[in-house]
Amino acid sequence: MMKTYLILMSCLLFLMIPGTDQTEFHTPDTNSREEINAGDDLKLVFENIEADSRLMVSSAYAKTILSPVLEGGKYVFEFPHFISHKAGMLSWRLFNSSADQFGEVYISPGEKPEYIENYLGPRSIQAGGTDYSMLVSIPTDSFDNPLMDGVKVEISEFFNDVLKKEELVMNHMLVWKRVISKRQTGSIFIASSVDSVHSKEMISEVYPSLPTDFNIEIQRVHTYADGNQVTEIKTSTIRDAFENIVSDGTSVEFLIADSDNNLRKTYGNTIDGVARAQLLHPEKPDSWVISARIPGMALSNKVEITYDPVIKDFEVRADPDHKKIRVGPLTSFLGQFVPDGTEVLLEVGDNDGSLYYKYRLPSKAGMVTFKIPEDLSLSDSYIFTIKSLGVTKIFSLKPNAANHQ
């Protein structure tokens, strides 16, 4: 039952009011302290003070100044609920023309819990038993005041069909607990309760720990450097030190070094612990050394692969009169035309190594036709170089003399 506490400030005056649920405390004109429960109405009653007296109230929640109301020849200061409902120490000081008075009122929280506030973080932790989430549980009364120290709080933890309970005692208005990660991945369900009051369920996700070293393998349909097919790199199932498969989306960096020591990179993300990447075959014979890594965490083995020439030779026909050079047909290892778009390079230079023109054209139906520029004087000595798919042909061209290479 809610009570109204009256703290009467006068000289040696104590009064019980029959037929009411109010209590007036006799308090001398010195520093005093009274105690009430949160939710009780709080009034200070004074006699023999001026009407313009003011009461300054200071609590953990707010600071305010109250004016008195004259009731039955006494001056009454009634505290607003937003102050009297909040637990903690409340201090007051009366500013009166005759003499200042001051005192304290301690507001105790309710004894029965109404709600439980839970805070948990971080919500994602690494497997292995070294990382943890922190749970803070605060049982409160109906006015949102934390309960008194000494209240017992039961913490429930559920993981992989195993339920554990632990009883903790409130200290400094709360209880706390470290929720240690497990060796396996999964969800840890956590809740707390006081008497018949229960908190909401909270979840801490245990994710895989750092990945460990892994292997890669190469898959390709043939070994030829045709610039068309793809080579697939595939990792083994990547796991952490506790045999958990790494999280989907883990980025894997693939490194490819060719025979000229050029380094290329490509990336793949894991799905079910496996990452894949595809590489287009080179357009000329080459050897690659391929490895993979998860930067700063894990490395793979190295794999060396070789690409064979897809063509051994091709035919070149020069037509000086029409200033044209025809290349082809370009046929692959099965005798078929190379894929349309295969690049053919023509370079025009001289014996001194100077380069005057450089052209690149894609093939179509295995053929490429170059048109020699009009400003190219065929009376001079030029060296023509044609390259495609790792095969190089070099020849010179004289006017009025067709060449067949």
Side-chain angles (χ1 to χ4, degrees):
M1 180 173 63
M2 180 177 291
K3 295 181 180 180
T4 300
Y5 286 87
L6 303 177
I7 300 177
L8 177 62
M9 304 304 300
S10 65
C11 294
L12 302 177
L13 176 63
F14 177 81
L15 175 64
M16 294 298 295
I17 304 176
T20 68
D21 198 19
Q22 299 179 345
T23 303
E24 298 179 356
F25 298 97
H26 164 70
T27 308
D29 294 344
T30 57
N31 187 13
S32 63
R33 172 174 170 175
E34 302 294 343
E35 185 171 339
I36 67 170
N37 293 323
D40 293 337
D41 291 334
L42 176 60
K43 296 180 181 180
L44 291 184
V45 181
F46 295 87
E47 288 184 345
N48 302 323
I49 65 171
E50 287 75 16
D52 60 352
S53 298
R54 295 294 182 267
L55 191 72
M56 186 175 72
V57 180
S58 178
S59 70
Y61 189 77
K63 193 178 276 191
T64 187
I65 295 178
L66 304 180
S67 300
V69 176
L70 185 60
E71 296 180 0
K74 300 180 181 66
Y75 289 94
V76 179
F77 293 89
E78 185 171 0
F79 286 70
H81 287 168
F82 73 87
I83 291 180
S84 63
H85 288 183
K86 294 300 177 182
M89 186 62 69
L90 181 151
S91 61
W92 58 267
R93 179 177 289 274
L94 176 66
F95 292 93
N96 184 33
S97 60
S98 60
D100 290 348
Q101 300 180 44
F102 56 92
E104 292 179 340
V105 178
Y106 181 72
I107 304 175
S108 301
E111 296 180 356
K112 293 184 178 181
E114 188 73 21
Y115 308 102
I116 298 180
E117 296 181 14
N118 271 1
Y119 302 92
L120 180 68
R123 294 297 187 93
S124 57
I125 53 180
Q126 285 188 354
T130 57
D131 201 4
Y132 61 86
S133 298
M134 177 72 80
L135 172 70
V136 175
S137 186
I138 307 174
T140 63
D141 62 16
S142 57
F143 300 105
D144 203 31
N145 299 304
L147 301 184
M148 296 288 289
D149 288 354
V151 173
K152 295 181 180 179
V153 181
E154 186 178 74
I155 307 298
S156 300
E157 180 182 319
F158 183 81
F159 180 78
N160 281 359
D161 296 327
V162 176
L163 177 62
K164 295 181 180 179
K165 294 186 178 183
E166 182 179 359
E167 192 172 75
L168 303 176
V169 178
M170 284 187 65
N171 186 26
H172 300 302
M173 301 188 297
L174 56 85
V175 298
W176 61 271
K177 174 181 171 59
R178 290 190 179 99
V179 181
I180 308 298
S181 69
K182 317 300 180 184
R183 294 174 63 91
Q184 297 80 31
T185 58
S187 299
I188 303 177
F189 299 89
I190 306 156
S192 57
S193 63
V194 179
D195 297 335
S196 60
V197 178
H198 302 272
S199 72
K200 292 183 178 179
E201 175 188 280
M202 309 192 83
I203 300 176
S204 179
E205 293 289 348
V206 181
Y207 288 98
S209 189
L210 300 180
T212 55
D213 291 349
F214 55 94
N215 294 318
I216 59 172
E217 61 181 31
I218 304 300
Q219 297 176 346
R220 52 183 178 171
V221 295
H222 60 64
T223 63
Y224 294 101
D226 63 352
N228 181 54
Q229 291 297 323
V230 296
T231 295
E232 183 179 70
I233 315 171
K234 178 184 175 182
T235 70
S236 60
T237 301
I238 304 174
R239 301 176 182 269
D240 65 10
F242 309 101
E243 293 301 314
N244 299 302
I245 297 175
V246 297
S247 301
D248 287 351
T250 300
S251 181
V252 179
E253 182 181 67
F254 297 92
L255 306 174
I256 305 97
D258 62 21
S259 56
D260 295 326
N261 291 324
N262 296 315
L263 184 65
R264 291 183 292 164
K265 296 181 181 180
T266 187
Y267 297 87
N269 295 326
T270 59
I271 299 176
D272 293 331
V274 177
R276 291 177 170 84
Q278 291 186 331
L279 303 171
L280 193 64
H281 284 212
E283 293 188 350
K284 63 177 182 178
D286 204 351
S287 293
W288 289 353
V289 177
I290 302 175
S291 61
R293 65 183 181 184
I294 301 175
M297 290 177 277
L299 298 172
S300 78
N301 59 318
K302 292 184 178 180
V303 176
E304 184 173 358
I305 58 175
T306 301
Y307 292 93
D308 302 320
V310 70
I311 59 175
K312 296 182 179 180
D313 197 6
F314 54 78
E315 192 174 345
V316 178
R317 293 185 178 86
D319 185 354
D321 296 330
H322 297 90
K323 289 191 172 183
K324 291 183 179 181
I325 297 177
R326 293 183 175 86
V327 179
L330 303 174
T331 55
S332 186
F333 61 96
L334 293 178
Q336 79 278 24
F337 291 143
V338 296
D340 288 353
T342 299
E343 186 179 86
V344 180
L345 172 66
L346 170 64
E347 295 177 344
V348 181
D350 58 21
N351 290 323
D352 296 329
S354 299
L355 182 64
Y356 297 104
Y357 296 97
K358 190 174 184 178
Y359 309 94
R360 298 177 188 271
L361 289 177
S363 67
K364 185 175 182 180
M367 300 295 295
V368 171
T369 300
F370 292 98
K371 292 184 179 180
I372 302 172
E374 294 294 333
D375 59 347
L376 186 65
S377 174
L378 296 182
S379 60
D380 297 330
S381 232
Y382 288 98
I383 303 298
F384 293 82
T385 303
I386 297 178
K387 301 178 182 179
S388 183
L389 298 173
V391 177
T392 301
K393 306 202 75 170
I394 301 174
F395 61 94
S396 60
L397 187 62
K398 301 289 186 180
N400 299 320
N403 284 274
H404 184 192
Q405 300 294 327

